[in-house]
Amino acid sequence: MSGKPNPKTAPATEAASHSNFIKQRIDADLAKGTYAQRRWAGEPGLAADQAKGDIDPAKIRTRFPPEPNGYLHIGHAKSICLNFGLAEEYGGICHMRFDDTNPEKEEQEFVDGILESVHWLGFHWGKDDKNLYFASDYFQWMYDFAVKLIENDLAYVDSQSAELMAFNRGSFQEPGRDSPFRGRSIAENLKLFEEMRDGKHADGAHILRAKIDMASPNINMRDPALYRVKNAEHHRTGKKWHIYPMYSYAHPIEDALENITHSLCTLEFEDQRIFYDWVIEKIASFGLLQRPLPQQIEFARLNLGYTVMSKRYLKQLVDEGHVEGWDDPRMPTIVGMRRRGYPPAAIRLFMERAGVSKAHQWIDPSVLEDCVREVLNETAPRRFAVLDPLKLVITNYPAGQSEESTAPNHPQKPELGTRTLPFSGELWIEREDFQEVAPPKYFRLFPGNTVRLKYGYVVKCTGFKKDDAGNVVEVQCEYMPDSKSGTPGADAYKVKGVIHWVCAKSALKSKVVMYDRLFKVENPGKDSKSYLDDLNRDSAKTIEAYLEPSLGAATGKEGFQFERHGYFRHDQYKFIRTCTLRDSWGVRS
Ligand code: ATP
Ligand code: MG
């Protein structure tokens, strides 16, 4: 893991108050009043539209701009926490914007899923979620701007084949070569571009390119593409358009139309910043976009070990049935983590600890799991569950009798109340809580030893039964009737071992799924032919467990701590393990 300070050890509050290079930029802009005179007419628009509005009440405007082509993953959560978090901190607004400029692969299902995930993480896009935008709503403006660029001899239609265009772009060592179409007249460019828009040309026949400099040392400035022909239907604009803008042209325009001040993106876009600035600078020079213009700031993307994050890979895992779906609890998607039982507060805490940097970040999933444990430790009600059951018979307990014990829901939080545990002469205990011959320092059940059944009685082990194969199938005990927890006699008994249990008569039998990491290696695909070769094929194990009866009322809304085992969440007729109580990875062989 790179990046200092170590987020695993840094206290949350300290990490939260850390400044970073993005905050420093914002602080400087606020101090100088860089954006103080911007006007905002209440919605995205041209310079002339915005000029009719009042001074923008939002101190800064950021945006979270996903492409609706899949469900969000933990990497997106980083961008969400950063953009919405900064807006909150600085009295600004973060726009929720769908970057839906690519007609293929985009779907309404993903739009809905993304909105739900951002809400679930705890964020809102302005008052009453008013600032929700779609890049496709700006298609006409983007088109008009392209026409302006053509009219000013800053763009042209190129009709080279894709291969030739790539070849003529040159390389890092070698300048590019001008296209034979670079000298087309403005009139011809305008006519061709209009025909492209109207569907008169086949996909790939022409593209619109910026006319900048084929010899630029930055390849991104060698006449980058602005528009391509794509005779495809769009999930929102239908068949209206036959051309679609390129991301690097569309994105700065979207930002500028929306009054974005600080446009945060991941480091891969660093050498495109010069083109980002070129696009909006030219359009603003025609008086069409309000100044001062947004500024692009890059930060390192979040990478989490033992998983994959690209939507393409996640989709493949779903489509090929390696997981149950986008919300499979092993997936690094927000819907998956939600189903796994990760609280949104834990994900936000994790992002605070991971911090913001310019250096590549690889973070171990144990850092995220620690955040999950910390949050759930505070909130999760405690319950008894026996995951590897062994029968315990109390030989001196009156046959047919039963009674109740009272147990707190949370040992440190009396305000969370209590629950009732039925008790009788037959209980389930964990198999590992009994040993025929006790190893050193073993204080639980073995013949002759005494333990407390937590919140119940003290019992003394008197014997056990084995089956023909030699497996212990029953443990026998005698109980001390005056030792019940919470009664005056309880303190007279001093025992070293305390174990949990559930009453055999009233226990709920339930499936419990124990999850392991989805991949066997930290960086799937790095040392193998395909990341699929590194899948852990044994990452979900279902067991049958006995649970205390109060768990019958579990709804799946809250997580529980199964004492001594970990955190669990109810999910469709079963329980699933969110995480263990302690980091169990470090001690693995
Ligand atoms: P992927 O290729 O993984 O699907 P993407 O970048 O194509 O990711 P978008 O929907 O375009 O996905 O991204 C929305 C926003 O989330 C962008 O601003 C992008 O920079 C940010 N983002 C995506 N992945 C990460 C990551 N791993 N760390 C930080 N930010 C990320
Ligand atoms: Mg993408």
Side-chain angles (χ1 to χ4, degrees), residues 66-67 69 76 247 269 311:
E67 194 182 342
N69 60 353
H76 295 114
Y247 176 88
F269 294 96
K311 264 180 265 176

Side-chain angles (χ1 to χ4, degrees), residues 26 29 37 86 89 102-103 181 236 337 353 382-383 385 387 398 463 468 533 552:
I26 296 174
D29 283 328
Q37 299 307 312
L86 286 169
E89 191 175 335
N102 182 2
F181 302 100
R236 293 185 88 242
M337 293 187 293
R353 289 196 182 164
R382 274 45 175 176
R383 293 290 182 263
L387 303 186
D468 294 343
D533 296 340

Side-chain angles (χ1 to χ4, degrees), residues 265-336:
C265 65
T266 45
L267 276 178
E268 316 85 87
F269 294 96
E270 192 166 21
D271 54 9
Q272 290 203 28
R273 191 191 326 131
I274 181 172
F275 182 60
Y276 178 101
D277 291 339
W278 185 94
V279 170
I280 48 184
E281 182 53 48
K282 293 297 175 206
I283 298 168
S285 74
F286 310 138
L288 296 171
L289 291 173
Q290 177 179 217
R291 291 180 191 276
L293 294 164
Q295 49 185 310
Q296 174 179 307
I297 306 174
E298 309 86 16
F299 65 95
R301 58 195 301 124
L302 174 86
N303 292 304
L304 198 62
Y306 297 92
T307 192
V308 290
M309 265 199 277
S310 145
K311 264 180 265 176
R312 196 160 52 87
Y313 290 168
L314 297 176
K315 189 169 183 321
Q316 188 178 15
L317 290 173
V318 174
D319 290 348
E320 294 181 5
H322 302 292
V323 292
E324 288 166 31
W326 287 97
D327 68 345
D328 185 299
R330 292 162 296 178
M331 289 281 270
T333 51
I334 297 184
V335 283

Side-chain angles (χ1 to χ4, degrees), residues 291-536:
R291 291 180 191 276
L293 294 164
Q295 49 185 310
Q296 174 179 307
I297 306 174
E298 309 86 16
F299 65 95
R301 58 195 301 124
L302 174 86
N303 292 304
L304 198 62
Y306 297 92
T307 192
V308 290
M309 265 199 277
S310 145
K311 264 180 265 176
R312 196 160 52 87
Y313 290 168
L314 297 176
K315 189 169 183 321
Q316 188 178 15
L317 290 173
V318 174
D319 290 348
E320 294 181 5
H322 302 292
V323 292
E324 288 166 31
W326 287 97
D327 68 345
D328 185 299
R330 292 162 296 178
M331 289 281 270
T333 51
I334 297 184
V335 283
M337 293 187 293
R338 177 181 183 172
R339 198 166 150 211
R340 179 78 172 252
Y342 286 15
I347 296 173
R348 296 195 303 261
L349 178 63
F350 172 64
M351 294 309 167
E352 263 172 31
R353 289 196 182 164
V356 183
S357 86
K358 279 265 187 198
H360 278 291
Q361 284 180 302
W362 265 96
I363 300 192
D364 192 85
S366 64
V367 179
L368 174 58
E369 285 168 14
D370 277 346
C371 295
V372 171
R373 275 183 208 109
E374 262 180 64
V375 171
L376 287 176
N377 182 42
E378 291 294 309
T379 55
R382 274 45 175 176
R383 293 290 182 263
F384 280 174
V386 173
L387 303 186
D388 186 11
L390 176 63
K391 182 66 75 62
L392 180 85
V393 176
I394 302 173
T395 52
N396 63 337
Y397 194 80
Q401 186 174 308
S402 61
E403 62 186 290
E404 287 178 340
S405 288
T406 301
N409 282 325
H410 194 296
Q412 284 89 42
K413 298 193 176 211
E415 67 276 18
L416 293 185
T418 60
R419 87 270 192 193
T420 300
L421 295 168
F423 182 89
S424 70
E426 283 199 15
L427 308 175
W428 293 110
I429 61 167
E430 295 291 345
R431 185 163 289 279
E432 61 161 38
D433 285 343
F434 172 78
Q435 297 283 329
E436 223 178 306
V437 180
K441 302 221 171 116
Y442 185 84
F443 301 118
R444 289 167 276 166
L445 283 172
F446 55 88
N449 196 39
T450 306
V451 302
R452 176 171 291 285
L453 299 171
K454 196 171 185 185
Y455 306 126
Y457 292 94
V458 170
V459 293
K460 181 173 187 175
C461 181
T462 52
F464 58 92
K465 267 193 213 160
K466 280 183 171 179
D467 64 10
D468 294 343
N471 301 310
V472 177
V473 290
E474 183 183 304
V475 177
Q476 291 137 4
C477 282
E478 286 180 1
Y479 86 120
M480 322 295 164
D482 59 349
S483 67
K484 191 171 182 182
S485 296
T487 64
D491 289 346
Y493 292 88
K494 300 285 174 230
V495 293
K496 281 196 171 159
V498 180
I499 64 172
H500 70 279
W501 49 275
V502 296
C503 164
K505 236 191 291 180
S506 55
L508 292 176
K509 195 172 183 181
S510 171
K511 284 192 166 41
V512 178
V513 188
M514 316 288 259
Y515 290 112
D516 200 344
R517 288 177 175 163
L518 190 53
F519 290 92
K520 292 178 291 191
V521 300
E522 184 175 35
N523 191 351
K526 185 170 164 265
D527 298 315
S528 52
K529 272 209 215 83
S530 154
Y531 76 99
L532 291 175
D533 296 340
D534 295 323
L535 265 177
N536 174 6

